[in-house]
Amino acid sequence: MAQLLGFLGLFNFFIFLPVALILNFTKRERFNSLTLKQLGLVVGKGLLDNVLSDYLWAKAVLLTTTTVATAGLTIQVPLAAIVDTLAGNKPSFTDYIGAAAVMVGFAGINIPAEMFCRSKETCIELEPGTSFTDPPPFVSDSIRVDSSETLAS
């Protein structure tokens, strides 16, 4: 995971460095006008906002599943509604409905499938060590063709 994020940063550096240099030399965006404090804030925000959030998301994917980790990102919507309320910017009624829908959806994907079984006959029996969220095992010999059989025309 660290190697993936490292290469992602390296590729972004080499891809966007020419763009930044072109903007600087054409005087569209002068980088020498940045103060040391502004540069520190830009670097700090980049590290804490982008790098840390990507690292934590990738770690969550490894610890859970991609669905749960990505759905966990949507919890930002209800948290933003709460923060806006505390800050004095009251969200609209539809914002609260959207926040409630996000929370219900996130809770719904985290409920184990066994909770919905009414009896043993209606439950799907799983092999030990498997779950609904695990990818299906790769079977190389799943389709076999018997060459001795011929079709009659």
Side-chain angles (χ1 to χ4, degrees):
M1 185 173 61
Q3 186 178 15
L4 170 75
L5 293 174
F7 277 120
L8 183 66
L10 185 70
F11 290 144
N12 280 327
F13 176 76
F14 285 119
I15 290 171
F16 291 113
L17 180 64
V19 174
L21 292 175
I22 290 170
L23 288 174
N24 189 36
F25 291 132
T26 60
K27 298 180 183 174
R28 295 260 185 194
E29 186 68 42
R30 299 296 296 175
F31 294 115
N32 60 359
S33 64
L34 286 176
T35 64
L36 193 57
K37 181 180 177 182
Q38 291 171 333
L39 182 64
L41 288 173
V42 167
V43 170
K45 184 192 179 308
L47 288 175
L48 292 177
D49 189 18
N50 298 338
V51 175
L52 183 63
S53 67
D54 286 347
Y55 175 78
L56 292 176
W57 177 80
K59 194 71 162 170
V61 167
L62 291 176
L63 295 175
T64 60
T65 64
T66 54
T67 304
V68 173
T70 304
L73 292 176
T74 61
I75 292 181
Q76 296 177 61
V77 174
L79 290 177
I82 292 169
V83 170
D84 281 347
T85 303
L86 294 176
N89 303 327
K90 185 177 179 186
S92 68
F93 181 68
T94 56
D95 291 335
Y96 287 114
I97 291 174
V102 166
M103 293 305 289
V104 167
F106 183 72
I109 65 168
N110 285 306
I111 295 174
E114 293 82 24
M115 296 288 293
F116 297 108
C117 295
R118 294 186 185 173
S119 67
K120 280 210 164 221
E121 292 83 31
T122 61
C123 289
I124 297 174
E125 293 293 327
L126 297 175
E127 294 179 18
T130 63
S131 69
F132 287 115
T133 58
D134 291 334
F138 178 73
V139 180
S140 61
D141 297 327
S142 62
I143 300 174
R144 294 184 184 174
V145 178
D146 191 2
S147 60
S148 63
E149 294 181 15
T150 58
L151 294 175
S153 24

